[in-house]
Amino acid sequence: MVGGKWRFLEVAVALIMALQCLAEGFPEEDLVTKLPGQPEVAFRQYAGYVDIDVKAGRSLFYYFVEAEKEPHTKPLTLWLNGGPGCSSIGGGAFTELGPFYPTGNGLGLRRNPKSWNKASNLLFVDSPAGVGWSYSNTTSDYNTGDEKTAKDMLMFMLRWLEKFPQFKTRNLFLAGESYAGHYVPQLADVILEYNTRQSNRFKFNLKGIAIGNPLLKLDRDVPAIFEFFWSHGMISDELGATIKNQCDFEDYSFSRTHNISKPCETAMNEAGTIITQYINYYDILLDICYPSLVEQELRLKKMGTKMSNGVDVCMSYEEQIYLTLPEVQKALHANRTQLPYEWSICSSLVNYNYNDGSTNILPILKRIVKSKVPVWVFSGDEDSVIPLLGSRTLVKELASDLNFNTTVPYGAWFHKGQVGGWVIEYGNLLTFATVRGAAHMVPYAQPSRALHLFTSFVLGRRLPHKSPPALHD
Amino acid sequence: MVGGKWRFLEVAVALIMALQCLAEGFPEEDLVTKLPGQPEVAFRQYAGYVDIDVKAGRSLFYYFVEAEKEPHTKPLTLWLNGGPGCSSIGGGAFTELGPFYPTGNGLGLRRNPKSWNKASNLLFVDSPAGVGWSYSNTTSDYNTGDEKTAKDMLMFMLRWLEKFPQFKTRNLFLAGESYAGHYVPQLADVILEYNTRQSNRFKFNLKGIAIGNPLLKLDRDVPAIFEFFWSHGMISDELGATIKNQCDFEDYSFSRTHNISKPCETAMNEAGTIITQYINYYDILLDICYPSLVEQELRLKKMGTKMSNGVDVCMSYEEQIYLTLPEVQKALHANRTQLPYEWSICSSLVNYNYNDGSTNILPILKRIVKSKVPVWVFSGDEDSVIPLLGSRTLVKELASDLNFNTTVPYGAWFHKGQVGGWVIEYGNLLTFATVRGAAHMVPYAQPSRALHLFTSFVLGRRLPHKSPPALHD
């Protein structure tokens, strides 16, 4: 069907695009001409490595997607997934907010009609080294933690901007979810500190950070898990009461449990059985995917469930197939060192300092807000892993610590004439918003509401909080 | 397309069915030959009136649906909707668990593939008089309450069984939702009391009752509303805390509010703004229907939302159109007295004694359980009106009062290989089960899970609580 003429046209288009890149200072060698099985699009993609430490052989992999329309007028948003140890390319880019989702067989791509590149240029980074296609030739680099991760990401941003100099003066937003509740504020912190040291030279034009279902403070985020289980009917009334009465989460940490009483520990373990194979604890209303061969067969006979509430619950499974394909990795300029392990969404290689999970992020958020950088904390309300119940209290505490008044009282926000979630704003700089019916991975289960929230965030607009709402927004 | 030959065949079939009725003692005059716009089905339907008090002119309207297959081997289930004052025909029969749902334009019917008549013969009654098509010629009859309602329903059941004598010895189940948390146990209570008085004569063969999101005890069901709002992100952290700390719901009643402090009242009113036009508080994850002309137009342009999570959120609106059609009422033998008001899902005519809402239903449930009649309390977990948080505690209290042990510990139950909800059983007679992703009207938002639950109930089977689950169940 595709004749020589069209083939020539393709080559010509690629050539013109490459020349455009040169003119703009975009790195020609990182241009992704087309991903295997990808639908045609008008915007450009780049992917490749940024070397952080040449001596150690430590390099971070990135995937950059231009805004769908008028990319020159749109900001740059860096997206980071959490874990710690999970891939932002695998999570954010190809199953959440990027322009493509894997197809059902994992062998091609389909458009995500609610990609965040409608509102911004998007940059995804596998961070720290050891995650996704990021690597180090020095094994000890895989022993890492928050401080090294933030430092490497600052270095990454500086060097990435050397590759893409036109973004140096562009508005910059940092966003992410889950453990990126550590990454994003910590990166913003070192960026702001970098800016203060650069009296005359380049400064980052940081305009806001947004973190979804973020880990902020263990002593509130952990009890919130059990409050969520109880209030959503997942554990018994007795068990809920036992945890509430017997557990002291003050000073709780992942590594030390000495401050937890025996009855509390027993109760927490019992509740923990919820977090097993049979419930999607990142979205308790979504069904789970049965990826095994038997269930695949059942799915072919339409016996199993693949779609749930309009969401493909097997998307991670399909993605695992897609991103493992050698031709996909080649097209993305990924895996240039032929890593001795298969691609996986979360790394088993990185030995992350679990003590860092206990860090209280609120003081960092406070510094960011005090630098007049807006902070949005958003929360998919069906997530039991880092539920809204913790985040909401912590944002309130932060507002109180900042002596902020309530700028917009707690109430519903609207999208397409329906409640998109609930929102409160403090001091014109600090926003907490839930997304109704959304997962831990907010754009995954509620792409339309998530895009609305993100668009408002980068445009510096409040979420529409007045009813009756317009049906078009 | 339909020639004279087929028309003759239709008449012949109707004639044969009518003769069958005579043979079985089914009331020929109540046979519903076919509802306007109804798809062909193999089971029979009957509808009409049962006179409760001829002198007062008080009659209750019923709609009876045979089980889809082998109706002779299946039990009889009476379904009652709540309110008080809402129609069981409009609610249960045509938007929840009956064999038909209205079509999008409200001018015809479509099959509900998960109708509960797969498991049982179904009887729906508009109760008390003044609800739906039930009426009285004595206006003062519309001043009513729990006691009169139960008494009338006992009379109804006795007279209905005279019309359908073959069901006299059949297993009988009573089920309903919401305010039927009053109706169903109270009817069971008078039925059991009737049975004790009938030493040699007819006795009801009552085999179980099931109540969904039932009003059981105000002092627990009301605070549960605000706990639900808080834990689902619908009110602020502060407001949740204020209601928790300032409100004493002990001895709470609908009519008297003197035991509520001023700060509590203010907070409750503020929280009450949630219960307005913009959220479906019967299922907080479903969108709301915009039935106005403007929105209809928008829907035609596919701008508005009609389907939400796989559910037609405008079904009540479509039903209002359908049940108001004169040819529908004629086919159902409804509205025989030409009522001077339009059909509506909930009555504005009935002047129900609101003090009855304060009745503690637990002692009644205790009597029922002590009579060895199984009691199931089920709860759609997305309902904020009578949330699972109250029902779960109340069932636990009842079990404790009965000195019942836990027969099946609290845990997930499974349907089609996925979590259908969570369940606990006490003393082999008392079951509490949630239905995941279900509304106040459980079969409306989760028809498949609801049918599974109902089937287990009438078969006297436990919900499957072991994983890994079979995908076929």
Side-chain angles (χ1 to χ4, degrees):
Chain A
M1 295 277 282
V2 180
K5 189 179 163 191
W6 295 107
R7 180 69 203 140
F8 167 77
L9 208 63
E10 265 182 44
V11 172
V13 165
L15 210 65
I16 291 161
M17 285 175 93
L19 284 167
Q20 276 182 333
C21 299
L22 269 171
E24 286 171 332
F26 280 12
E28 195 187 341
E29 67 281 9
D30 286 2
L31 180 71
V32 178
T33 46
K34 196 174 178 185
L35 290 167
Q38 173 211 306
E40 289 292 339
V41 289
F43 57 84
R44 289 172 297 180
Q45 311 167 73
Y46 292 81
Y49 284 93
V50 169
D51 300 327
I52 304 301
D53 184 332
V54 176
K55 202 173 150 199
R58 193 161 79 256
S59 299
L60 297 184
F61 180 79
Y62 80 91
Y63 170 57
F64 170 72
V65 184
E66 258 190 342
E68 191 184 301
K69 285 176 188 162
E70 301 179 358
H72 293 79
T73 66
K74 297 216 166 64
L76 174 68
T77 301
L78 169 74
W79 174 270
L80 292 173
N81 278 79
C86 298
S87 164
S88 309
I89 282 86
F94 284 95
T95 64
E96 295 186 59
L97 54 119
F100 306 113
Y101 288 154
T103 51
N105 56 8
L107 301 176
L109 295 173
R110 59 189 170 96
R111 278 303 296 274
N112 165 16
K114 300 296 174 185
S115 171
W116 288 11
N117 84 328
K118 287 189 181 295
S120 177
N121 299 280
L122 299 176
L123 174 59
F124 303 89
V125 182
D126 279 345
S127 165
V131 172
W133 288 307
S134 295
Y135 67 91
S136 176
N137 293 331
T138 308
T139 316
S140 61
D141 275 351
Y142 295 148
N143 300 320
T144 190
D146 283 1
E147 200 185 327
K148 277 161 82 178
T149 300
K151 218 172 134 192
D152 275 7
M153 276 304 298
L154 173 64
M155 182 62 76
F156 171 90
M157 287 306 293
L158 288 167
R159 296 204 171 150
W160 188 87
L161 288 173
E162 294 306 319
K163 280 196 175 203
F164 294 82
Q166 69 160 256
F167 283 105
K168 282 187 170 182
T169 52
R170 200 75 62 89
N171 284 350
L172 173 66
F173 293 93
L174 308 182
E177 77 195 9
S178 197
Y179 198 82
H182 279 225
Y183 294 157
V184 165
Q186 285 162 346
L187 176 56
D189 207 28
V190 296
I191 279 177
L192 290 170
E193 204 226 354
Y194 175 89
N195 278 357
T196 60
R197 282 190 276 115
Q198 306 292 313
S199 52
N200 296 313
R201 302 205 322 255
F202 160 76
K203 288 185 187 186
F204 289 95
N205 204 2
L206 185 62
K207 291 293 182 188
I209 73 166
I211 39 181
N213 297 70
L215 185 69
L216 294 176
K217 195 157 174 269
L218 277 190
D219 66 1
R220 184 69 199 96
D221 285 323
V222 172
I225 295 170
F226 302 101
E227 287 167 2
F228 189 92
F229 284 172
W230 176 79
S231 60
H232 289 66
M234 299 161 77
I235 57 173
S236 73
D237 221 15
E238 290 91 333
L239 193 53
T242 303
I243 293 171
K244 198 178 175 68
N245 299 327
Q246 296 286 340
C247 294
D248 176 14
F249 291 104
E250 199 81 29
D251 199 30
Y252 181 86
S253 80
F254 285 138
S255 48
R256 290 167 297 131
T257 52
H258 63 268
N259 63 326
I260 300 294
S261 70
K262 194 72 201 168
C264 166
E265 199 185 344
T266 308
M268 277 176 68
N269 286 342
E270 199 185 324
T273 60
I274 292 295
I275 304 175
T276 55
Q277 297 300 310
Y278 64 76
I279 194 85
N280 181 349
Y281 39 93
Y282 292 112
D283 188 328
I284 61 157
L285 290 175
L286 291 185
D287 287 345
I288 52 172
C289 174
Y290 289 105
S292 78
L293 276 173
V294 175
E295 277 85 17
Q296 275 190 69
E297 279 179 19
L298 284 168
R299 276 210 308 278
L300 291 174
K301 291 180 203 156
K302 299 193 180 190
M303 303 291 285
T305 306
K306 196 182 163 178
M307 293 302 284
S308 172
N309 295 340
V311 178
D312 174 2
V313 294
C314 287
M315 213 192 285
S316 294
Y317 170 74
E318 295 152 13
E319 178 187 58
Q320 176 69 37
I321 299 170
Y322 187 75
L323 294 185
T324 307
L325 296 173
E327 60 270 32
V328 170
Q329 299 190 358
K330 195 179 167 207
L332 280 169
H333 319 118
N335 198 8
R336 67 179 177 191
T337 56
Q338 296 301 306
L339 298 164
Y341 46 85
E342 208 175 59
W343 183 88
S344 80
I345 180 77
C346 294
S347 169
S348 53
L349 204 69
V350 172
N351 180 29
Y352 210 87
N353 182 357
Y354 273 101
N355 282 326
D356 287 354
S358 309
T359 305
N360 177 6
I361 302 298
L362 295 192
I364 306 176
L365 292 180
K366 189 177 173 182
R367 280 199 293 276
I368 296 166
V369 171
K370 286 199 132 187
S371 304
K372 307 286 180 208
V373 173
V375 170
W376 283 40
V377 175
F378 60 96
S379 187
D381 62 9
E382 302 311 320
D383 174 31
S384 75
V385 177
I386 308 179
L388 75 96
L389 300 173
S391 314
R392 184 176 52 184
T393 314
L394 292 168
V395 173
K396 184 185 70 179
E397 277 179 26
L398 176 59
S400 165
D401 189 26
L402 284 157
N403 281 316
F404 272 4
N405 291 325
T406 301
T407 335
V408 177
Y410 201 95
W413 65 269
F414 294 92
H415 172 62
K416 290 186 175 171
Q418 301 287 349
V419 172
W422 280 265
V423 63
I424 184 165
E425 188 191 300
Y426 303 99
N428 295 313
L429 278 169
L430 182 60
T431 296
F432 171 79
T434 68
V435 181
R436 192 165 67 105
H440 187 74
M441 294 73 78
V442 170
Y444 168 67
Q446 289 294 342
S448 190
R449 287 173 191 159
L451 175 59
H452 185 133
L453 182 134
F454 176 68
T455 306
S456 302
F457 166 66
V458 294
L459 291 175
R461 287 186 193 154
R462 279 173 179 156
L463 290 165
H465 60 281
K466 286 234 170 69
S467 66
L471 285 170
H472 307 275
D473 63 358
Chain B
M1 296 278 281
V2 180
K5 187 179 164 191
W6 294 108
R7 179 75 200 134
F8 166 77
L9 206 64
E10 264 181 45
V11 173
V13 165
L15 208 65
I16 291 161
M17 284 175 95
L19 286 167
Q20 275 183 334
C21 298
L22 270 172
E24 286 170 333
F26 281 13
E28 196 187 340
E29 66 281 9
D30 286 0
L31 180 71
V32 177
T33 48
K34 195 175 178 184
L35 289 167
Q38 174 210 305
E40 289 292 342
V41 289
F43 56 85
R44 289 171 300 179
Q45 312 168 72
Y46 292 81
Y49 284 93
V50 169
D51 300 328
I52 303 301
D53 183 332
V54 175
K55 202 173 151 198
R58 195 162 77 256
S59 298
L60 297 184
F61 180 79
Y62 80 91
Y63 171 57
F64 170 72
V65 184
E66 259 190 340
E68 189 183 302
K69 285 177 188 161
E70 301 180 0
H72 293 77
T73 66
K74 297 215 165 68
L76 174 68
T77 301
L78 169 74
W79 174 269
L80 292 173
N81 279 80
C86 298
S87 164
S88 309
I89 281 86
F94 284 96
T95 65
E96 294 186 60
L97 54 119
F100 306 114
Y101 287 154
T103 50
N105 56 9
L107 300 175
L109 294 174
R110 59 189 170 93
R111 278 301 299 273
N112 165 16
K114 300 296 173 186
S115 172
W116 289 12
N117 83 329
K118 287 189 181 294
S120 177
N121 299 279
L122 300 176
L123 174 59
F124 303 89
V125 183
D126 280 345
S127 165
V131 171
W133 288 308
S134 293
Y135 66 91
S136 175
N137 294 330
T138 309
T139 317
S140 60
D141 274 352
Y142 296 148
N143 301 320
T144 189
D146 283 1
E147 201 185 327
K148 278 161 84 177
T149 300
K151 219 173 134 192
D152 274 8
M153 275 305 298
L154 173 64
M155 181 62 75
F156 171 89
M157 287 306 293
L158 289 166
R159 298 207 170 149
W160 187 86
L161 288 172
E162 293 306 320
K163 280 197 175 203
F164 294 83
Q166 70 161 256
F167 283 105
K168 282 187 170 182
T169 52
R170 200 75 62 87
N171 284 351
L172 174 67
F173 294 93
L174 309 182
E177 77 195 9
S178 196
Y179 198 82
H182 279 225
Y183 294 157
V184 165
Q186 286 162 347
L187 176 57
D189 206 28
V190 296
I191 279 177
L192 290 170
E193 204 227 353
Y194 175 90
N195 278 357
T196 60
R197 283 189 276 117
Q198 306 292 313
S199 53
N200 295 314
R201 303 207 318 258
F202 160 76
K203 289 185 188 187
F204 290 95
N205 204 2
L206 184 62
K207 291 294 182 189
I209 72 166
I211 39 180
N213 297 71
L215 185 69
L216 293 176
K217 194 159 176 268
L218 278 190
D219 66 1
R220 185 69 198 97
D221 285 323
V222 172
I225 295 170
F226 302 102
E227 287 166 1
F228 190 93
F229 284 173
W230 176 79
S231 60
H232 289 66
M234 298 161 77
I235 57 172
S236 72
D237 219 17
E238 290 92 333
L239 192 53
T242 303
I243 293 171
K244 198 178 175 68
N245 298 327
Q246 296 286 339
C247 294
D248 176 13
F249 291 102
E250 198 81 29
D251 198 30
Y252 180 86
S253 81
F254 285 139
S255 48
R256 291 166 297 132
T257 52
H258 62 267
N259 63 328
I260 299 295
S261 70
K262 194 72 201 166
C264 166
E265 200 186 344
T266 308
M268 276 176 69
N269 286 342
E270 198 185 325
T273 61
I274 291 294
I275 304 175
T276 54
Q277 296 300 311
Y278 64 76
I279 193 86
N280 182 348
Y281 39 93
Y282 291 112
D283 187 329
I284 61 157
L285 290 175
L286 291 185
D287 288 344
I288 51 173
C289 175
Y290 290 105
S292 78
L293 278 173
V294 175
E295 277 86 20
Q296 276 190 68
E297 280 179 15
L298 284 169
R299 278 210 306 279
L300 291 174
K301 291 182 204 157
K302 301 193 176 185
M303 303 291 285
T305 306
K306 195 179 166 186
M307 294 301 285
S308 173
N309 296 340
V311 178
D312 174 2
V313 294
C314 287
M315 212 193 284
S316 294
Y317 171 74
E318 295 151 14
E319 178 188 56
Q320 176 69 34
I321 299 170
Y322 187 75
L323 294 185
T324 307
L325 296 173
E327 60 270 33
V328 170
Q329 299 190 359
K330 195 178 167 209
L332 278 169
H333 320 117
N335 198 8
R336 67 180 177 191
T337 56
Q338 296 301 306
L339 298 164
Y341 46 84
E342 207 173 59
W343 183 89
S344 80
I345 180 78
C346 294
S347 169
S348 52
L349 204 70
V350 172
N351 180 28
Y352 210 87
N353 182 356
Y354 272 102
N355 283 327
D356 286 354
S358 309
T359 305
N360 177 5
I361 302 298
L362 296 192
I364 306 176
L365 291 180
K366 190 179 173 180
R367 280 200 293 276
I368 296 166
V369 171
K370 285 197 133 188
S371 303
K372 306 285 180 210
V373 173
V375 170
W376 282 40
V377 175
F378 59 97
S379 188
D381 62 9
E382 303 310 321
D383 174 31
S384 74
V385 177
I386 308 180
L388 76 96
L389 300 173
S391 314
R392 184 176 52 185
T393 313
L394 291 168
V395 173
K396 184 185 69 178
E397 276 179 27
L398 176 59
S400 165
D401 189 26
L402 283 157
N403 282 317
F404 273 3
N405 291 326
T406 301
T407 334
V408 177
Y410 201 96
W413 66 269
F414 296 91
H415 171 61
K416 290 187 175 170
Q418 302 287 348
V419 172
W422 280 266
V423 63
I424 185 165
E425 189 190 300
Y426 304 99
N428 294 313
L429 278 170
L430 182 61
T431 296
F432 171 79
T434 69
V435 181
R436 192 165 67 105
H440 186 74
M441 294 74 77
V442 170
Y444 167 68
Q446 289 293 342
S448 190
R449 289 174 191 159
L451 175 59
H452 184 134
L453 182 132
F454 177 68
T455 306
S456 303
F457 166 66
V458 295
L459 290 175
R461 286 186 192 155
R462 280 173 179 157
L463 289 165
H465 59 281
K466 287 234 171 68
S467 66
L471 286 170
H472 307 274
D473 62 357

